[in-house]
Structure formats: structure tokens, C-alpha cells
Amino acid sequence: MDDKCIRCGGTQAAYPIHALEVRTLHVRNLGGENRVQALGDEKHSAVCEACAQRQLEVSLNPVRAAKPQLVRFGAVFAAGIVIGAATFLFVKESRQVFLLLGLAALVSGILGICDALRKAKEKSLSLNALPGAEALEEAAWDVFIADAPKKEDINDLTYIPINKKNLRRKNGDLMILYHLLPEIAVEAWKRLHKEEEKQ
């Protein structure tokens, strides 16, 4: 097991991370887009207390936590304003097309900002409801998720924590929580309990 912090590389990693890797391939065909999923290996990592604490402080402040998304969607919103203003000032023909484009950018920006703030606020409330030690464990998992690989070749990578909470869940809960296909949720449930038996 790697006992170095995944974020800072420090050796005083207080939070060991055990996770199942999920590989998802998005296949586009005439019928739309389908997902192909498979479980990967068990991943071992760790997070130090300082990185977990910093992540917790960020997550408890919704505006700070959502800052990257706010900047991105704010730029989309600003582009909508610029397109709309430029259309009125400089475009004589086909004005409706540019106005619709500007309006779409404005709406996308507003919806993106609202959604990012909503998710950050929900996360902050859920962390506030936890005891301090559990909140830090959750923050350590968030550090791992942020810094763990997201892609391998053409596959998207996501992770399921191997912990007591997930051992109590049914495969249907795992399917919803981690966006798994039904057969992969069943396999994940079995793998989680096999890992429990090893420990």
C-alpha cells in the first residue's frame, strides 16, 4: 500500500484509501450512446491530515468550493452578454441567429452557476452534519477523487470506496450512488464483501 499522500506526497498520511476502480467506455452508435462498464483493480492510496483539513475548509465554504465552476460558467455568461451587445451594435443581417446564440450562452451560464452553487451548498450542509472525524474522512476521500486518475486510454475512471457504509448498502444503492450498470452493481457488491473478508 502507498502510504504517501496522493496530493502532497507527504509520508504522514493519516487516512488510508481503499477503492474499487470502475472503467466506463462511452460507445456512440445509431441508437445513441451506450455505456460499457467493468470493474478494475482495488486501489490503495492515502491522504495526509493537512490536505484533508484544507479540503474540508474549502468544502465548508460553498462559494470557494464552487469557484472553478463559477469562473467557467461566468465566462459563458459574459460571452452571452458580449455576443448580444455586439449583435445590436454591428450586425445588420441574420441578427436573430446571433441573438439566440447570445441568449443560449446567458441561460447556460446562469444554470451552470446555480447548479454549481447548489451542489456546493448541499456538500457543505452534509459535511456540517457529520462529526468532525467523519467530516475529515469524507474530505480525505474528496482529495483522493480530485487527484486520482480520471482516464485510462479511452476509458473514464471512477471509484467506489471500500468502507463500512458501502458494505451496508444493497447493490441497487451502489448502482444509483456510483452510476453503475445493474450487472456491475451486483459484481461491485460481491467484490466489496470479498475485500471485507480479506481484512
Side-chain angles (χ1 to χ4, degrees):
M1 185 187 123
D2 188 358
D3 61 350
K4 291 184 178 178
C5 177
I6 191 173
R7 179 161 288 176
C8 72
T11 55
Q12 301 297 317
Y15 298 98
I17 301 289
H18 305 287
L20 281 179
E21 181 185 78
V22 180
R23 299 176 184 190
T24 303
L25 174 64
H26 297 275
V27 181
R28 290 179 179 82
N29 54 34
L30 295 175
E33 184 177 276
N34 292 318
R35 288 183 301 155
V36 178
Q37 279 184 335
L39 290 180
D41 299 326
E42 182 184 348
K43 297 296 177 187
H44 297 279
S45 188
V47 176
C48 71
E49 189 166 354
C51 286
Q53 185 64 51
R54 280 193 290 273
Q55 181 65 44
L56 181 59
E57 288 167 8
V58 169
S59 296
L60 289 174
N61 182 333
V63 174
R64 193 172 160 203
K67 186 177 178 182
Q69 294 94 331
L70 296 180
V71 169
R72 190 164 62 247
F73 287 113
V76 172
F77 181 80
I81 292 173
V82 170
I83 291 168
T87 300
F88 276 112
L89 292 173
F90 304 114
V91 178
K92 304 282 186 213
E93 298 175 7
S94 303
R95 191 176 263 190
Q96 288 179 333
V97 174
F98 289 102
L99 286 175
L100 283 174
L101 182 62
L103 183 61
L106 285 171
V107 171
S108 295
I110 290 169
L111 291 176
I113 288 167
C114 291
D115 188 54
L117 285 172
R118 179 186 59 79
K119 286 178 180 173
K121 190 173 181 182
E122 284 174 2
K123 180 73 175 179
S124 173
L125 290 170
S126 72
L127 287 170
N128 267 316
L130 294 174
E134 284 184 43
L136 273 171
E137 281 180 27
E138 187 72 26
W141 174 255
D142 291 340
V143 169
F144 171 74
I145 288 298
D147 292 20
K150 309 287 186 296
K151 295 281 284 187
E152 185 181 80
D153 296 326
I154 55 173
N155 295 309
D156 292 336
L157 300 180
T158 54
Y159 303 90
I160 302 170
I162 300 170
N163 58 25
K164 290 177 183 176
K165 281 184 186 176
N166 278 341
L167 289 169
R168 290 193 297 265
R169 289 187 169 117
K170 297 177 181 175
N171 53 39
D173 299 329
L174 295 173
M175 183 179 77
I176 294 165
L177 202 56
Y178 299 104
H179 310 289
L180 303 175
L181 296 173
E183 62 274 17
I184 299 301
V186 171
E187 190 182 338
W189 188 91
K190 290 176 182 174
R191 285 275 298 275
L192 286 170
H193 286 82
K194 273 186 189 173
E195 295 303 334
E196 180 193 27
E197 289 168 13
K198 288 181 193 175
Q199 293 171 8

